[in-house]
């Protein structure tokens, strides 16, 4: 299959790149990691105005989606700029609540689409932690066929990325929806979270490679740029190949998810995907996650000792690559799902 983004989709990506370039995301990241969520929430609002979070919300609730291809374009750019906040979780919550329907969808989905609501969540089978729960306006949890609103973010846990804090939500909370539709919606939400995380990882890897290429052109050894050394060229080429191999898998998964949305009966509360959709998402997740992490290792090695310093903006991308690789499906889990699919 020959797949190319449309002119409108490419322009959407370019507009987000321009918005985020002007936003000085390293400063936003430092504030977020220090517990100051104000700059991050302001940036979140500008992204919502650009339509990012409406991509996962159906039109009936004030959104424009689900539009998985456009969501992939957006998340790659957000990953390239290391935007803080529960991006994948909020997009997944849009799918989860749309599948749940009823009062909880009517209450939260318009806010998610407009950027007024930042949401985190946990799902069975994906670990007990909700990223950035302290900054979220709501933390949803799914157990079995029950959807609950957690009474609080809970206690923080250690995280390799200081700008992506992990919390175990407080137990309890009255169910806000229940029934077989919740199980199906949770499956679709899990796929969305994994898919969005794959796109974030790909964008993170792209920025790590870009910064590393720029650095090795400037750094000299024996009177020549280190980028002219054959071993350095090979390492960068391998990193580029990994990222480029992940890209068609990501957009292939987007096409699978889009076909899920358009199938007969979609949007009526059933969120169970077609055969192969989950495997396509898992393939994209493991490939993009591993490629992003490989880009981080390349960047760290070729930057030398300066790569270890927190003063270097690159450190925020270096710290993000591995958590993105493991979030919403570790490599081993994703490979098992691909084989099963």
């Amino acid at each position: 299959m020959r797949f190319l983004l449309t002119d409108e989709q490419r322009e959407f990506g370019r507009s987000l790149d321009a918005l985020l370039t002007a936003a000085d995301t390293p400063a936003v990241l430092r504030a977020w990691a220090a517990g100051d969520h104000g700059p991050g929430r302001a940036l979140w609002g500008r992204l919502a105005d650009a339509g990012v979070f409406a991509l996962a919300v159906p039109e009936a609730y004030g959104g424009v989606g689900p539009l998985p291809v456009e969501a992939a374009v957006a998340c790659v750019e957000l990953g390239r700029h290391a935007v803080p906040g529960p991006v994948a979780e909020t997009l997944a919550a849009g799918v989860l609540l749309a599948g749940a329907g009823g009062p909880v969808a009517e209450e939260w989905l318009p806010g998610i689409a407009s950027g007024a609501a930042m949401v985190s969540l946990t799902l069975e089978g994906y670990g007990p932690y909700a990223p950035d729960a302290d900054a979220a306006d709501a933390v949803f949890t799914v157990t079995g066929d029950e959807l609950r609103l957690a009474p609080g973010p809970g206690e923080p846990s250690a995280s390799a990325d200081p700008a992506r804090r992990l919390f175990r939500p407080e137990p309890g909370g009255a169910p806000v929806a229940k029934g077989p539709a919740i199980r199906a919606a949770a499956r679709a939400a899990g796929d969305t979270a994994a898919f969005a995380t794959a796109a974030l990882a790909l964008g993170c890897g792209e920025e790590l490679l870009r910064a590393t290429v720029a650095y090795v052109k400037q750094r000299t050894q024996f009177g020549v740029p280190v980028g002219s050394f054959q071993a350095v060229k090979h390492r960068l080429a391998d990193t580029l190949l990994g990222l480029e191999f992940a890209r068609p898998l990501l957009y292939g998964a987007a096409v699978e998810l889009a076909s899920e949305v358009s199938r007969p009966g979609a949007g009526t509360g059933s969120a169970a995907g077609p055969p192969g959709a989950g495997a396509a998402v898992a393939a994209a997740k493991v490939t993009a996650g591993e490629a992003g992490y490989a880009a981080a290792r390349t960047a760290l090695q070729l930057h030398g000792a300066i790569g270890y310093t927190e003063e270097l903006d690159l450190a925020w991308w270096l710290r993000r690559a591995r958590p993105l690789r493991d979030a919403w499906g570790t490599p081993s889990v994703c490979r098992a799902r691909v084989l099963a699919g």
Side-chain angles (χ1 to χ4, degrees):
M1 179 176 65
R2 184 170 182 266
F3 180 84
L4 292 173
L5 296 175
T6 65
D7 291 340
E8 291 79 9
Q9 290 165 341
R10 287 193 291 268
E11 181 57 34
F12 179 49
R14 286 192 290 266
S15 68
L16 291 177
D17 179 41
L19 184 159
L20 293 168
T21 299
D24 188 16
T25 52
V28 176
L29 280 163
R30 286 186 166 87
W32 191 273
D36 178 7
H37 300 136
R41 291 300 296 251
L43 178 57
W44 192 275
R46 293 198 292 276
L47 290 170
D49 291 341
V52 170
F53 303 109
L55 295 172
V57 176
E59 293 183 14
Y61 299 99
V64 297
L67 295 174
V69 176
E70 286 76 6
V73 172
C75 287
V76 168
E77 292 301 325
L78 269 60
R80 285 185 59 235
H81 291 273
V83 171
V87 172
E89 292 72 26
T90 297
L91 293 173
V95 173
L96 173 66
L97 298 179
V104 66
E106 295 172 359
E107 178 180 359
W108 287 100
L109 286 178
I112 289 175
S114 69
M118 178 184 288
V119 178
S120 191
L121 80 163
T122 65
L123 301 173
E124 274 190 315
Y126 289 99
Y129 299 113
D132 298 306
D134 59 330
D137 299 297
V139 179
F140 291 99
T141 65
V142 175
T143 304
D145 61 357
E146 289 188 342
L147 171 63
R148 296 174 182 267
L149 181 61
E155 293 296 320
S157 298
S159 174
D161 181 358
R164 189 177 184 274
R165 303 177 68 197
L166 301 177
F167 291 80
R168 188 187 292 266
E170 293 180 6
V176 294
K178 61 173 60 178
I182 300 302
R183 289 183 182 271
R187 288 195 297 271
D191 282 346
T192 299
F195 170 72
T197 303
L200 293 169
L202 178 61
C204 180
E206 288 181 347
E207 176 58 20
L208 285 163
L209 178 60
R210 185 208 62 79
T212 305
V213 169
Y215 180 72
V216 299
K217 288 180 179 179
Q218 299 172 0
R219 180 185 171 191
T220 60
Q221 193 171 9
F222 307 116
V224 297
V226 298
S228 65
F229 299 160
Q230 198 73 2
V232 172
K233 290 180 179 179
H234 286 174
R235 185 68 184 267
L236 292 171
D238 289 343
T239 302
L240 176 61
L241 283 174
L243 294 169
E244 289 302 315
F245 184 73
R247 191 184 315 280
L249 292 177
L250 175 69
Y251 286 111
V255 171
E256 291 281 0
L257 291 172
S259 68
E260 173 182 336
V261 173
S262 62
R263 78 190 190 282
T268 59
S270 174
V281 169
K285 175 64 174 58
V286 66
T287 309
E290 294 281 33
Y293 182 50
R297 295 178 64 181
T298 296
L300 185 60
Q301 180 181 18
L302 297 185
H303 274 79
I306 194 175
Y308 290 91
T309 62
E310 291 192 0
E311 290 78 8
L312 188 70
D313 287 344
L314 191 74
W316 296 99
W317 281 259
L318 290 171
R319 289 184 170 188
R320 180 150 296 196
R322 182 159 183 171
L324 288 176
R325 184 195 73 168
D326 295 339
W328 296 103
T330 63
S332 60
V333 168
C334 289
R335 288 189 179 98
R337 192 174 185 190
V338 171
L339 291 173

